[in-house]
Amino acid sequence: MIVAERKPIKQILEMIEPYSKVAVIGCRGCVAICSAGGDREVEILSAALRLARKNNGKPLETIEKTLVRQCDPEYLTPLAKLKDQVEAAISLACGVGVNLASDLYPDIKIYPGVNTTFYGANPALGKWEEMCRGCGDCILDLTGGICPIARCAKNLLNGPCGGSQNSRCEIDPDTPCVWQLIYDRLKARGELEKLAKIWAPKNWIPAGYGGPRKRERPDLEINNKSKHSGGVK
């Protein structure tokens, strides 16, 4: 899942300083799961913004709305009504949602309310850890399902580095050396031979070399043509 955290209130207030009526738009996708942009966070942020503006002598009116997702056009159609109701909007979706909503509804001034941080897992309540970099050239078959690109501070292949001591990362001693984890995992699986050869430099082209990455499935496009057509005017 995509992990995000809310921007400081002061920064959000600076974004909407010229406006007296704004929408705060949440998302029930990833940002809701990591408690950054769901229904509750929309309510809390709206109240905090109104209180701050009231204390500054410049009252603010808010409209609160949480969408199923902000990364699919069909779920963004409620925004079409907002352009005549508010002067601006704060989106609590990840950066993908802010980009798409701004592209589809350029008449609405949409500002980000969260910082998108990483792709992560939720190993325990209130904790999220980066486990994937979305590099487009997955090598988890070679590393026992543990990603050195995301989980090594130096993004090393053919690790560990010379700074690793006592199975800990030299950058952060509280973090296990991912290459020790990989070694232990492969040993337990009886697959240590995967580490016996030197791996060639990673192919970074799929990671975005040459511009934004895109993926197309013509079969899905044909099947869903009617679904997406006319979704946004």
Side-chain angles (χ1 to χ4, degrees), residues 50-90:
R50 291 194 303 269
L51 179 60
R53 287 285 292 268
K54 180 179 179 180
N55 291 339
N56 291 336
K58 192 176 181 180
L60 176 71
E61 183 180 350
T62 61
I63 292 179
E64 301 170 17
K65 194 170 191 64
T66 304
L67 307 180
V68 175
R69 287 197 298 274
Q70 292 191 40
C71 54
D72 288 312
E74 58 264 38
Y75 296 115
L76 289 171
T77 53
L79 298 185
K81 299 179 181 179
L82 284 179
K83 65 180 181 180
D84 298 323
Q85 299 178 24
V86 297
E87 299 167 273
I90 294 292

Side-chain angles (χ1 to χ4, degrees), residues 112-135:
V114 303
N115 292 319
T116 305
T117 51
F118 54 81
Y119 309 152
N122 183 200
L125 187 63
K127 295 183 179 181
W128 293 270
E129 297 178 1
E130 183 174 17
M131 292 191 172
C132 177
R133 190 63 57 85
C135 69

Side-chain angles (χ1 to χ4, degrees), residues 3-227:
V3 179
E5 58 184 359
R6 197 186 70 190
K7 286 180 174 289
I9 292 291
K10 180 179 179 181
Q11 188 174 352
I12 298 175
L13 286 168
E14 290 174 353
M15 296 178 192
I16 63 171
E17 197 279 332
Y19 312 118
S20 59
K21 188 174 184 180
V22 303
V24 179
I25 308 168
C27 176
R28 294 194 178 102
C30 297
V31 291
I33 297 173
C34 67
S35 299
D39 293 276
R40 178 172 175 270
E41 290 73 38
V42 167
E43 182 180 351
I44 292 173
L45 176 60
S46 298
L49 293 175
R50 291 194 303 269
L51 179 60
R53 287 285 292 268
K54 180 179 179 180
N55 291 339
N56 291 336
K58 192 176 181 180
L60 176 71
E61 183 180 350
T62 61
I63 292 179
E64 301 170 17
K65 194 170 191 64
T66 304
L67 307 180
V68 175
R69 287 197 298 274
Q70 292 191 40
C71 54
D72 288 312
E74 58 264 38
Y75 296 115
L76 289 171
T77 53
L79 298 185
K81 299 179 181 179
L82 284 179
K83 65 180 181 180
D84 298 323
Q85 299 178 24
V86 297
E87 299 167 273
I90 294 292
S91 171
L92 296 185
C94 69
V96 174
V98 177
N99 271 269
L100 183 59
S102 298
D103 283 350
L104 296 178
Y105 298 95
D107 293 336
I108 304 174
K109 297 175 181 177
I110 302 175
Y111 300 102
V114 303
N115 292 319
T116 305
T117 51
F118 54 81
Y119 309 152
N122 183 200
L125 187 63
K127 295 183 179 181
W128 293 270
E129 297 178 1
E130 183 174 17
M131 292 191 172
C132 177
R133 190 63 57 85
C135 69
D137 182 27
C138 189
I139 58 170
L140 292 179
D141 58 309
L142 301 175
T143 59
I146 301 172
C147 178
I149 305 304
R151 299 171 67 179
C152 172
K154 300 179 181 179
N155 315 131
L156 289 181
L157 297 179
N158 302 299
C161 71
S164 173
Q165 298 292 328
N166 301 317
S167 302
R168 313 305 289 181
C169 174
E170 71 167 331
I171 303 299
D172 180 5
D174 293 329
T175 300
C177 170
V178 72
W179 277 101
Q180 183 66 54
L181 298 179
I182 291 171
Y183 176 87
D184 293 342
R185 176 74 56 80
L186 292 178
K187 182 178 180 180
R189 289 185 175 187
E191 297 178 341
L192 278 178
E193 73 277 2
K194 292 183 177 181
L195 299 180
K197 65 178 182 179
I198 303 240
W199 297 347
K202 185 170 174 59
N203 177 16
W204 289 104
I205 291 178
Y209 176 83
R213 290 175 281 182
K214 297 180 181 179
R215 179 173 180 247
E216 297 182 359
R217 284 280 304 273
D219 56 323
L220 298 178
E221 183 178 346
I222 293 172
N223 292 337
N224 292 313
K225 186 174 182 181
S226 59
K227 176 182 176 182

